[in-house]
Amino acid sequence: MNSRNIENLVNILKTLMAVVVSYAIAAVIIMLVSDMPQQAISSFSMGPFSTLRRFGNVIEGMIPIIFTGIGVSIMLSIRFFNLAVSGAFYMSAIIASAIALIPMSVGLHPIVGIFLGGITGAAICVLPALLKAKWGINEVVSALMFNFVATFIGSYILRFVLFDPMAGFMASRVFQDTVRLPLLIQGTRVHVGLILAGVVTVFAYIFLYHSKWGYSIRMTGMNKSFAIFSGIGVSWATIFATVIGGFIVGVGGASEMYGMFTRFQWTDLPTTGFDGVMVAAMARRNPALIPIAAFFLSYIRVGADIMARSSDVAQEIVAVIQAIIIMMIGAEALLAGLKKRAILKNSAKEVNV
């Protein structure tokens, strides 16, 4: 076993430990607040496996999170914290919905819509990178601002371009049947987007760990000074990473529309972009682990929903689990950074002596 495999194994064990500890703390909280703790814990833990439809809900929920998680993991590999993924996911779904209203052939229709959704996601995610490369603007601030811009533009398009006055609520006109993604499992809404998510996962892993472009991205993220010394164009690597990551996020937004909906009806940003940040952190930016993290997040959400309907515990317990996992992962990263700085400081003193 080489050093990289050992490091990956250690990271997996750390994340699993965070998950187990958070789950245990959630169980303790349930026992303290519930009058029927055994039923609540059973529904929470085993409820998603109780029927095919419920397990299908888990798979349906994890599909869009895989796309956003993969996109975020590529951008985080270059240490670019791009929160514009939420706006990119939203706007790609809007553009894909507009394409879904245009008559087109069966095979071509979803391909065109998903591709244009990917282009939209890439265009939005690259904007904070361009601002940072040109003027040094912090990407966290600019990305959050672009989310607001995407929300208002999307709302305008929905209200004045796509709106169906006969719907009775804020929604677009009904999509053409030719754009629908086929179902994979009858009795559920699990669609072909799951296969596409698997293809994207394989591509992202090969891209990051077995290509020179991926090496440039990871090297820039690990040591920017060394990357510059090695002749890597740091600004271009950042822009390239955000384009690839944003395109994947956009593909996810379009696939979610075509697989799960018959018309566009989001009036605000979905949480899928922020979910992608969470699963990317859980997976330690490793694309191969993103589907596992996405499955876990979707699983506890479906389990919490079942628990809330069958016991006296609110489904907000999921927020407790998510918060504990993020705090544990964040604390580990903070301690690792402090350890690195302490070692460098001590080494500098030894050299001076």
Side-chain angles (χ1 to χ4, degrees):
M1 182 179 292
N2 57 40
S3 58
R4 191 175 76 187
N5 289 336
I6 293 174
E7 182 181 359
N8 288 337
L9 179 60
V10 171
N11 286 334
I12 292 172
L13 292 176
K14 287 179 181 178
T15 303
L16 286 176
M17 186 176 296
V19 169
V20 171
V21 170
S22 63
Y23 222 86
I25 294 175
V28 171
I29 294 174
I30 291 172
M31 287 188 287
L32 291 175
V33 303
S34 176
D35 293 329
M36 48 182 80
Q38 186 174 358
Q39 179 180 342
I41 293 174
S42 176
S43 298
F44 182 47
S45 302
M46 301 306 298
F49 284 119
S50 58
T51 66
L52 177 63
R53 181 179 60 81
R54 288 175 173 176
F55 187 72
N57 290 339
V58 176
I59 305 301
E60 296 156 16
M62 70 178 275
I63 294 174
I65 303 176
I66 291 176
F67 285 104
T68 55
I70 292 291
V72 170
S73 68
I74 292 176
M75 290 182 273
L76 284 181
S77 295
I78 204 167
R79 293 296 190 270
F80 193 82
F81 194 61
N82 195 346
L83 292 176
V85 290
S86 291
F89 190 85
Y90 180 79
M91 280 302 299
S92 64
I94 279 274
I95 298 302
S97 298
I99 300 300
L101 299 177
I102 303 172
M104 210 175 294
S105 62
V106 176
L108 184 63
H109 206 170
I111 294 175
V112 171
I114 289 173
F115 177 75
L116 291 178
I119 295 296
T120 303
I124 293 177
C125 283
V126 79
L127 290 175
L130 292 173
L131 292 177
K132 185 171 185 177
K134 184 67 176 178
W135 292 292
I137 298 175
N138 184 280
E139 69 270 17
V140 176
V141 176
S142 61
L144 287 174
M145 294 302 101
F146 279 122
N147 281 339
F148 285 103
V149 173
T151 302
F152 292 130
I153 293 177
S155 297
Y156 178 87
I157 294 174
L158 174 59
R159 183 180 296 272
F160 296 104
V161 180
L162 307 181
F163 180 64
D164 182 4
M166 303 300 294
F169 59 100
M170 186 58 65
S172 72
R173 300 186 295 279
V174 177
F175 298 159
Q176 297 285 326
D177 291 336
T178 52
V179 84
R180 295 284 297 167
L181 294 180
L183 294 178
L184 289 179
I185 303 175
Q186 295 300 322
T188 71
R189 293 190 297 170
V190 179
H191 53 85
V192 170
L194 179 63
I195 297 176
L196 185 57
V199 172
V200 166
T201 301
V202 174
F203 162 78
Y205 183 82
I206 295 174
F207 171 75
L208 276 181
Y209 294 102
H210 298 281
S211 73
K212 63 179 182 180
W213 302 284
Y215 174 80
S216 298
I217 289 171
R218 290 186 296 108
M219 184 53 61
T220 302
M222 288 187 289
N223 193 325
K224 185 176 179 180
S225 298
F226 180 79
I228 295 173
F229 181 78
S230 301
I232 296 174
V234 172
S235 295
W236 283 110
T238 303
I239 292 171
F240 185 57
T242 53
V243 168
I244 296 297
F247 185 86
I248 291 173
V249 170
V251 168
S255 300
E256 180 71 357
M257 274 295 111
Y258 294 166
M260 297 292 292
F261 299 94
T262 58
R263 62 170 84 213
F264 185 89
Q265 50 191 295
W266 296 344
T267 57
D268 201 356
L269 286 185
T271 62
T272 317
F274 299 105
D275 294 339
V277 175
M278 188 183 307
V279 299
M282 291 174 62
R284 313 283 174 159
R285 305 184 304 277
N286 187 342
L289 302 179
I290 293 292
I292 300 174
F295 177 85
F296 170 76
L297 184 59
S298 180
Y299 185 89
I300 63 174
R301 287 178 174 174
V302 173
D305 181 63
I306 296 171
M307 177 182 65
R309 288 186 279 109
S310 60
S311 70
D312 57 349
V313 180
Q315 67 181 47
E316 280 73 21
I317 193 69
V318 172
V320 176
I321 297 177
Q322 293 177 177
I324 294 171
I325 292 174
I326 293 301
M327 284 191 296
M328 293 183 69
I329 293 175
E332 190 272 334
L334 175 62
L335 292 174
L338 292 174
K339 175 184 175 182
K340 181 180 179 181
R341 284 193 290 271
I343 291 173
L344 291 174
K345 185 177 180 180
N346 185 62
S347 299
K349 287 182 179 179
E350 291 178 353
V351 170
N352 291 333
V353 172

Coordinates of all heavy atoms in Angstrom, one line a residue, residues 11 27 39 141 148-149 172 176-177 201 228 233 260 287 332:
N11 N -8.1 9.1 6.2 CA -9.2 10.1 6.0 C -10.6 9.5 6.0 O -11.5 10.1 6.6 CB -9.0 10.9 4.7 CG -7.8 11.9 4.7 OD1 -7.4 12.3 5.8 ND2 -7.3 12.1 3.6
A27 N -28.6 10.0 18.9 CA -29.4 9.0 19.6 C -29.6 9.3 21.0 O -30.7 9.1 21.6 CB -28.7 7.6 19.4
Q39 N -38.9 3.6 19.3 CA -39.6 3.7 18.0 C -38.9 4.8 17.1 O -38.8 4.6 15.9 CB -41.0 4.0 18.2 CG -41.8 4.1 16.9 CD -43.3 4.4 17.2 OE1 -43.8 4.2 18.3 NE2 -44.0 4.9 16.2
V141 N -16.9 36.3 -0.7 CA -17.8 37.4 -0.8 C -18.5 37.5 -2.2 O -19.7 37.7 -2.3 CB -17.1 38.7 -0.5 CG1 -18.0 39.9 -0.6 CG2 -16.5 38.7 0.9
F148 N -27.2 35.9 -5.0 CA -28.3 36.8 -5.0 C -28.7 37.2 -6.4 O -29.8 37.3 -6.8 CB -28.0 38.0 -4.2 CG -28.0 37.7 -2.7 CD1 -26.9 37.6 -2.0 CD2 -29.3 37.6 -2.0 CE1 -26.9 37.3 -0.6 CE2 -29.3 37.4 -0.7 CZ -28.1 37.2 0.1
V149 N -27.6 37.5 -7.2 CA -27.9 37.9 -8.6 C -28.6 36.8 -9.4 O -29.6 37.0 -10.1 CB -26.5 38.3 -9.3 CG1 -26.8 38.5 -10.8 CG2 -25.9 39.5 -8.7
S172 N -43.4 27.3 -14.1 CA -43.3 27.4 -15.6 C -44.4 26.6 -16.3 O -45.1 25.8 -15.7 CB -41.9 26.9 -16.0 OG -41.8 25.5 -15.9
Q176 N -41.9 19.6 -22.3 CA -42.1 18.7 -23.4 C -41.8 17.3 -22.9 O -40.8 17.0 -22.1 CB -41.3 19.0 -24.6 CG -41.5 20.3 -25.2 CD -42.8 20.4 -26.0 OE1 -43.2 19.4 -26.7 NE2 -43.5 21.5 -26.0
D177 N -42.6 16.3 -23.3 CA -42.4 14.9 -22.9 C -41.0 14.4 -23.4 O -40.4 13.5 -22.7 CB -43.5 14.0 -23.4 CG -44.8 14.3 -22.7 OD1 -44.8 14.8 -21.6 OD2 -45.9 13.9 -23.3
T201 N -18.5 11.0 -11.6 CA -17.7 10.6 -10.5 C -16.4 10.0 -11.0 O -15.3 10.3 -10.6 CB -18.4 9.6 -9.5 OG1 -19.6 10.3 -9.0 CG2 -17.5 9.2 -8.4
I228 N 3.9 27.8 -8.5 CA 4.5 28.9 -9.3 C 5.9 28.7 -9.7 O 6.3 28.9 -10.8 CB 4.3 30.3 -8.5 CG1 2.9 30.6 -8.2 CG2 5.1 31.4 -9.2 CD1 2.7 31.8 -7.3
G233 N 0.6 27.9 -14.1 CA -0.1 29.1 -14.1 C -1.2 29.0 -13.1 O -2.3 28.5 -13.4
M260 N -36.8 14.8 -12.2 CA -37.7 14.8 -11.1 C -38.9 15.7 -11.3 O -39.9 15.6 -10.5 CB -36.9 15.3 -9.8 CG -35.8 14.4 -9.4 SD -36.3 12.8 -8.8 CE -37.1 13.3 -7.2
P287 N -13.2 12.6 -5.1 CA -14.5 12.4 -5.8 C -15.0 10.9 -5.7 O -16.2 10.7 -5.7 CB -14.0 12.6 -7.3 CG -12.9 13.5 -7.2 CD -12.2 13.1 -5.9
E332 N -10.6 19.1 13.0 CA -9.5 18.3 12.6 C -8.6 19.1 11.6 O -7.4 19.1 11.7 CB -10.0 17.0 11.9 CG -8.9 16.0 11.7 CD -8.3 16.2 10.3 OE1 -8.9 16.7 9.4 OE2 -7.1 15.8 10.1

